[in-house]
Amino acid sequence: MSSGFGVVRAVNSGDSVSIFETVRGPTGGYPPIRDIYLSNIQAPKLGYNNGTDKPWAWESREFLRELCIGQKVKFTVEHKTANENPREYGSVVTDSGTNLAEAIALAGWAEVRAPPEGKEARTEEHKTLLLNQEQAKEGKLGIWQDGEGSTGPSGKLNSLQFFDKHKEKPVDAIIEYVRDANSYTVALKDTREKFNLRIAGVSAPRVPSKAKQEAGEKPEPVGLEAKFFIERHLLNRTVVVVITAPGEAKRQNEFYGSISFAGRSLASQLIKNGYGKLVEWNAPPKEVDELKKLQKEAIGQKLRIWKHIEAVESAGKRKEWSGKVCEVRDGSSIVVQDSVTGEKKFIILSNVKVPRMTKSEVQPYSYEAREHIRKKVIGKKVTVMLDYERNDVDFCSVFLDKKSLAVMLVEAGLANVVSYDDNEKSIAYQDLTIAENRAKDKGKNLWNKSKTAPIYRVTDTTLRQNDAEKKQSKQKAKQFFGALQRAGRVDGIVEYVFNASRLKVSIPNEKCIITFGLEAIRTPTKEENEELCKEVHDFVYDKLQQRDVQLIVENSDQAGNFFGSLFINAKNLGITLLEMGYAKLNHSSVDYTNYANEYKEAEESAKKKRIRIWANYSAEEKQATSQLNESKQIRLYKVNVSEVIDGNWFYVQMVDDAKVLDSIMKQLNEEDHPFVPNLSVKKGSLFAAKMPDNVWYRVKVEKIDKGNIGVVCVDFGMGITVDRSELRPLSPKLASAPIQAKECKLAYLQIPAIGEDYGEEAADYFEKLTSQKQLLASVEHIDGGISYISLGDEHSLINVQMVGAGYGVLSGNLRTDDPRKQKLIEECRKKESEARRNRVGRWELGDFRDD
């Protein structure tokens, strides 16, 4: 017996449903489908393939369809037939608690199978079904009512007559089958007449038939995703169909038409979401302009099919979209976040040339040009129109309240107008030339030859590319610390967001750039909570990137980083992060800050609301004692490394479980493993397979590529590709036996993988340290089923040895209150410094992170 969750995809008959199963991991655009036949009931059968329906079959199916289509359900498989096309029988219960079989029996739309003569119902559910059937019979409900149900339309459909009858008339229908996003089988709700409908006005990627796919033909890009989009929203749903034209003469019962659902046109939804492109010749005339508009937006957003094909536009036609300005790199290059897709796009203003501002070169007026645009547009909504492309870079006209940013620069004398080609022109090109002549006439900035051009000079204390730069930056930071601390509040600009509580800030009045951290504020790291870490980073980036702020410098560290409080629009950022549950306090240092009481109140407020970091606060509170004593309760496991994938990805076996492993292998190789034709192979399933050493192993399916199956031996960790025919089902005992190889990585470290620089050397060194050795392991944390461990023996830790050999570096932003873990991290940090200084391993050619 197995169970799962999903969404009802379709209702095949009055006693069976098709379910999109909810699974973890990628599905290739189309999730797995489970057809479940409800146990112990039998509904009248529908007549598929032009067959005649049994009496009441349609009504039975309609009852179940309206009851559960699109509903979230839990299904339990109780029995599976062993024939060539196996069926799964079981129960299905909706999210609201409705048992489908019981509801059908109570409404009288199916017959409950009686128990064998002389025996009682074998389950409580079966007893309930029998009782429900008796009630339905007494009430003459469903199939038990007087009279005979209809058997559906008789005779073949005459395409022309059907078209003449229904042309341009809205009619309720049910989507019975989806071949792909272009073509559907539809049944009229009142007459049950079935026909094939091709959606008018749109062409979507094709999906070959099942037979053609098995023969090797692949769906077109985005085809399966488009089909799933339709099935998820329309399959077995009631829609409104308008037939606009008959299909080709050789295609009987096929028509072109439109489909609308919940007041929305299907063609518009396909085009809007990038699942199809406009076909004007058969598009509904009233929709053409709207469809063109939607296609233009989809092309501009590079949605789905537009990632794989190029749009052909007529001369002079421009893509237009809107978004928010996130960054101003220099006066003419900006980053805009698309308001529809959320994508951050780098664009250059068309037909203008501004002074360069790079790390190696800062030309006169470059800083003024950047600031002129930054102050006007950062964080503001703009309209972007693509003018032309050069070297895969978009050159655009960008408008703030209908005013061109390029014109703003030119009329201020901070940019020159340039023209590369007659066809490569900004939509505001004429305005640009007028503005340039006016700026020249008034002698503004670049045109002022009598004034010495200003050059932006600044001391950057954030440079860390090599040891020499780090030393210089540290010395420079010390020179500015006293002045900044005495100044109180100083104005600054956030130039970069390293993480939510660590920023790169320029201070114009002092002509310096510093690394600034929020004093006593801790935001989540990627290792602690990757999703929340990204959320808080995006929040701070959205609010602070290139914004004007105020700082109070309170402290600095030995590396030249500054700490204190930061204000945006007069609001303390630390208080905001704490109030929103985006940060915790470092209670060992908070009392030394200027805002200790406000910080504590903000943190308490978030705790009471139990938001974000504090979502599970009550559980954390209960575990506080055990967490404080974690270092005293660390459990050590005796392990052997059974398989090395790379320098930081490996499998271990528990030494104490050696007898269990021996028992599994003995039984596995003593049992017969006969070939099973048409064996159902799914990702994540366990099977038996014979490896090249002629020994049977338990394997888990990791990848399916037609007949080639990628598997991993779950008791040892090695991976191999086998033919589908080499897999054998496991006996229940072996299938339920515990997996013996644990997937692991070394805690706190980043180590190159095979294929990366020094990846093979790292793997060889790790294998040398672990080969044929009994080791000790402690689990530091588990993430995504992978154990992050400390590994070693009584004398040394392999984590530290990998760092000392120059193959491992510490992950960023490691924070812990556990003294044992602090000691391990500190030891790794010392070894990392030694390796870098001695130029071993990845440090051989200098600081590899500079690349």
Side-chain angles (χ1 to χ4, degrees):
M1 182 180 292
S2 63
S3 63
F5 296 88
V7 174
V8 176
R9 163 184 174 268
V11 177
N12 303 323
S13 65
D15 57 10
S16 67
V17 295
S18 178
I19 297 172
F20 279 129
E21 185 178 8
T22 302
V23 296
R24 292 183 177 179
T27 60
Y30 200 84
I33 296 172
R34 301 286 290 271
D35 289 328
I36 306 296
Y37 293 80
L38 301 176
S39 297
N40 297 314
I41 66 170
Q42 185 169 7
K45 299 301 179 186
L46 291 166
Y48 288 104
N49 298 324
N50 297 320
T52 303
D53 295 347
K54 295 294 183 183
W56 304 116
W58 177 266
E59 291 82 358
S60 174
R61 199 288 295 263
E62 281 297 276
F63 171 81
L64 183 55
R65 183 182 71 85
E66 293 177 357
L67 178 66
C68 68
I69 190 67
Q71 297 286 319
K72 292 182 180 179
V73 295
K74 177 182 179 181
F75 62 89
T76 302
V77 178
E78 301 166 356
H79 171 63
K80 186 175 182 179
T81 60
N83 53 15
E84 185 176 351
N85 297 307
R87 289 185 172 186
E88 293 184 316
Y89 289 86
S91 62
V92 179
V93 180
T94 68
D95 238 12
S96 61
T98 301
N99 183 301
L100 298 188
E102 293 177 3
I104 293 167
L106 188 61
W109 287 117
E111 184 176 356
V112 180
R113 291 187 176 89
E117 187 176 349
K119 294 186 178 181
E120 295 184 355
R122 58 187 181 86
T123 66
E124 289 299 320
E125 182 178 338
H126 195 182
K127 291 178 183 178
T128 302
L129 292 174
L130 292 168
L131 291 173
N132 288 355
Q133 178 173 263
E134 290 304 315
Q135 293 183 46
K137 285 181 177 180
E138 291 176 6
K140 294 185 178 182
L141 303 176
I143 63 176
W144 310 111
Q145 61 188 285
D146 296 332
E148 294 185 359
S150 64
T151 57
S154 59
K156 290 187 176 180
L157 192 70
N158 183 297
S159 296
L160 192 56
Q161 291 178 2
F162 186 83
F163 172 70
D164 289 338
K165 180 180 179 181
H166 296 289
K167 178 183 178 182
E168 301 293 347
K169 296 177 182 177
V171 59
D172 289 343
I174 299 169
I175 305 295
E176 295 287 344
Y177 175 73
V178 179
R179 192 185 77 184
D180 54 28
N182 297 295
S183 184
Y184 317 91
T185 299
V186 178
L188 297 186
K189 197 169 183 183
D190 56 351
T191 65
R192 308 187 203 172
E193 293 171 297
K194 292 183 180 179
F195 57 95
N196 295 323
L197 184 73
R198 295 184 66 84
I199 189 71
V202 63
S203 174
R206 289 183 60 254
V207 177
S209 65
K210 184 178 180 181
K212 289 182 178 180
Q213 289 189 59
E214 290 175 349
E217 186 175 346
K218 294 183 178 180
E220 294 179 354
V222 193
L224 285 176
E225 185 181 349
K227 181 179 179 182
F228 172 65
F229 175 80
I230 299 296
E231 290 192 346
R232 178 67 182 85
H233 295 286
L234 292 186
L235 183 59
N236 271 194
R237 308 303 207 284
T238 299
V239 298
V240 176
V241 171
V242 176
I243 296 174
T244 56
E248 298 177 19
K250 63 182 180 181
R251 295 180 182 273
Q252 287 294 313
N253 302 336
E254 182 174 276
F255 304 88
Y256 288 95
S258 63
I259 296 174
S260 58
F261 176 65
R264 296 180 179 179
S265 159
L266 176 57
S268 67
Q269 293 303 302
L270 287 172
I271 292 174
K272 176 182 178 181
N273 289 284
Y275 289 122
K277 55 184 178 181
L278 176 63
V279 178
E280 290 192 43
W281 71 267
N282 69 348
K286 294 180 180 179
E287 295 185 32
V288 171
D289 290 340
E290 178 64 17
L291 295 179
K292 285 182 177 180
K293 178 183 175 182
L294 293 173
Q295 176 161 291
K296 186 176 181 180
E297 293 174 356
I299 293 171
Q301 298 162 27
K302 289 285 185 182
L303 283 177
R304 298 181 174 89
I305 66 168
W306 302 110
K307 294 179 181 178
H308 304 278
I309 59 177
E310 288 295 327
V312 179
E313 297 187 317
S314 58
K317 195 172 185 179
R318 303 174 189 272
K319 299 182 210 174
E320 180 177 340
W321 51 280
S322 62
K324 183 175 71 173
V325 178
C326 300
E327 296 179 36
V328 178
R329 301 281 176 85
D330 58 31
S332 65
S333 59
I334 62 177
V335 177
V336 182
Q337 184 175 28
D338 193 306
S339 58
V340 176
T341 65
E343 179 186 359
K344 293 183 176 71
K345 301 177 181 178
F346 173 78
I347 59 178
I348 295 179
L349 300 181
S350 304
N351 298 118
V352 293
K353 181 181 180 181
V354 300
R356 290 170 56 84
M357 185 178 184
T358 65
K359 288 184 178 179
S360 59
E361 182 183 13
V362 179
Q363 294 180 344
Y365 292 106
S366 59
Y367 181 75
E368 287 74 12
R370 189 202 79 159
E371 284 300 281
H372 186 73
I373 292 298
R374 182 191 69 82
K375 291 178 179 179
K376 292 179 182 294
V377 304
I378 194 69
K380 302 286 184 62
K381 184 177 180 180
V382 295
T383 301
V384 181
M385 296 187 69
L386 175 64
D387 295 317
Y388 54 90
E389 297 180 16
R390 289 171 62 90
N391 301 323
D392 296 325
V393 176
D394 291 344
F395 287 76
C396 305
S397 295
V398 182
F399 297 88
L400 173 69
D401 297 329
K402 299 183 179 181
K403 183 67 179 286
S404 164
L405 303 192
V407 171
M408 292 181 189
L409 281 168
V410 173
E411 66 185 10
L414 294 171
N416 299 118
V417 179
V418 292
S419 179
Y420 301 104
D421 187 277
D422 288 341
N423 297 320
E424 295 181 344
K425 292 287 193 299
S426 164
I427 192 174
Y429 187 77
Q430 186 172 345
D431 293 333
L432 288 172
T433 56
I434 293 171
E436 184 175 42
N437 280 282
R438 288 178 176 168
K440 182 178 180 180
D441 183 65
K442 294 179 180 179
K444 288 187 176 181
N445 293 317
L446 289 170
W447 301 105
N448 189 343
K449 304 303 180 181
S450 63
K451 178 183 175 182
T452 303
I455 297 178
Y456 178 62
R457 292 186 173 90
V458 65
T459 301
D460 192 344
T461 70
T462 68
L463 301 178
R464 302 282 196 276
Q465 290 188 356
N466 51 56
D467 288 340
E469 278 192 350
K470 290 178 181 178
K471 186 176 181 181
Q472 291 175 3
S473 294
K474 180 179 176 181
Q475 293 172 345
K476 292 174 182 177
K478 287 182 178 179
Q479 296 172 7
F480 286 99
F481 174 69
L484 291 174
Q485 189 180 42
R486 290 190 298 270
R489 289 200 182 197
V490 294
D491 295 324
I493 303 166
V494 175
E495 301 289 353
Y496 188 76
V497 178
F498 295 110
N499 60 48
S501 57
R502 185 167 173 264
L503 315 167
K504 181 178 181 179
V505 182
S506 64
I507 303 175
N509 289 341
E510 298 292 336
K511 292 185 170 21
C512 68
I513 300 175
I514 65 172
T515 301
F516 186 84
L518 301 180
E519 183 73 17
I521 305 293
R522 287 188 56 200
T523 53
T525 64
K526 187 176 181 180
E527 289 75 16
E528 293 170 344
N529 187 327
E530 184 173 355
E531 183 177 347
L532 187 57
C533 176
K534 183 179 184 304
E535 182 181 343
V536 63
H537 175 275
D538 291 348
F539 172 80
V540 172
Y541 175 92
D542 184 63
K543 299 296 182 185
L544 266 68
Q545 178 68 23
Q546 289 198 318
R547 303 303 206 284
D548 293 318
V549 297
Q550 288 186 312
L551 312 176
I552 297 178
V553 175
E554 301 172 4
N555 203 351
S556 68
D557 64 12
Q558 293 182 350
N561 301 307
F562 295 77
F563 297 89
S565 306
L566 182 143
F567 300 82
I568 174 76
N569 297 326
K571 177 72 173 179
N572 187 312
L573 176 63
I575 294 176
T576 300
L577 294 177
L578 290 167
E579 286 176 340
M580 297 183 68
Y582 278 140
K584 292 182 178 181
L585 281 177
N586 183 344
H587 288 277
S588 64
S589 60
V590 65
D591 290 327
Y592 297 97
T593 68
N594 296 326
Y595 298 90
N597 293 332
E598 291 89 338
Y599 285 163
K600 291 176 182 178
E601 289 175 3
E603 186 181 64
E604 283 302 315
S605 173
K607 285 181 180 179
K608 290 177 182 178
K609 296 176 184 176
R610 294 183 180 176
I611 54 176
R612 298 185 176 92
I613 285 178
W614 308 107
N616 299 313
Y617 176 59
S618 58
E620 291 179 357
E621 208 169 26
K622 293 177 183 177
Q623 296 174 4
T625 303
S626 61
Q627 290 176 343
L628 288 172
N629 296 321
E630 181 184 352
S631 60
K632 300 178 182 178
Q633 300 174 357
I634 287 299
R635 181 176 177 184
L636 295 177
Y637 299 91
K638 297 177 182 178
V639 300
N640 294 318
V641 175
S642 60
E643 183 71 11
V644 176
I645 310 298
D646 60 33
N648 197 25
W649 183 13
F650 52 94
Y651 288 82
V652 302
Q653 297 169 330
M654 300 296 179
V655 173
D656 293 341
D657 291 341
K659 292 183 179 179
V660 178
L661 177 60
D662 291 342
S663 174
I664 290 172
M665 295 301 294
K666 181 179 179 182
Q667 182 179 349
L668 188 62
N669 284 277
E670 287 178 350
E671 288 184 356
D672 292 328
H673 301 284
F675 173 73
V676 177
N678 299 318
L679 183 64
S680 176
V681 178
K682 296 180 180 179
K683 192 174 180 181
S685 301
L686 287 178
F687 294 95
K690 186 174 285 188
M691 294 289 184
D693 60 1
N694 206 33
V695 175
W696 288 97
Y697 292 86
R698 295 191 303 167
V699 298
K700 181 174 73 172
V701 175
E702 293 286 331
K703 184 179 181 182
I704 301 176
D705 184 10
K706 298 180 182 178
N708 297 320
I709 312 297
V711 298
V712 171
C713 175
V714 297
D715 298 315
F716 292 86
M718 61 274 200
I720 194 173
T721 299
V722 300
D723 189 81
R724 182 187 293 266
S725 62
E726 297 179 56
L727 298 178
R728 303 289 188 272
L730 288 169
S731 65
K733 184 176 180 181
L734 284 172
S736 61
I739 290 173
Q740 296 300 300
K742 315 295 183 186
E743 189 176 1
C744 298
K745 291 190 175 185
L746 294 176
Y748 313 128
L749 300 186
Q750 294 177 349
I751 296 174
I754 298 293
E756 298 178 347
D757 289 344
Y758 294 92
E760 292 187 9
E761 292 87 342
D764 291 342
Y765 186 69
F766 179 79
E767 191 159 14
K768 178 182 177 182
L769 294 176
T770 59
S771 180
Q772 298 183 347
K773 294 180 181 179
Q774 180 175 305
L775 301 167
L776 296 173
S778 64
V779 179
E780 305 299 344
H781 67 279
I782 298 175
D783 185 9
I786 300 176
S787 297
Y788 290 77
I789 67 174
S790 295
L791 184 67
D793 53 28
E794 295 87 348
H795 307 292
S796 60
L797 278 175
I798 290 173
N799 306 55
V800 176
Q801 291 176 280
M802 292 296 290
V803 175
Y807 298 122
V809 295
L810 283 168
S811 302
N813 299 318
L814 293 175
R815 298 174 180 173
T816 178
D817 295 325
D818 185 342
R820 181 189 63 82
K821 294 180 180 180
Q822 289 176 343
K823 182 178 179 182
L824 170 59
I825 293 170
E826 186 58 34
E827 191 172 354
C828 287
R829 187 168 283 118
K830 290 179 180 178
K831 289 294 182 180
E832 184 177 319
S833 297
E834 291 177 8
R836 183 169 61 248
R837 190 165 52 251
N838 296 329
R839 298 226 173 172
V840 297
R842 300 173 77 189
W843 307 101
E844 181 181 7
L845 301 177
D847 195 329
F848 62 90
R849 292 173 295 193
D850 293 346
D851 298 333

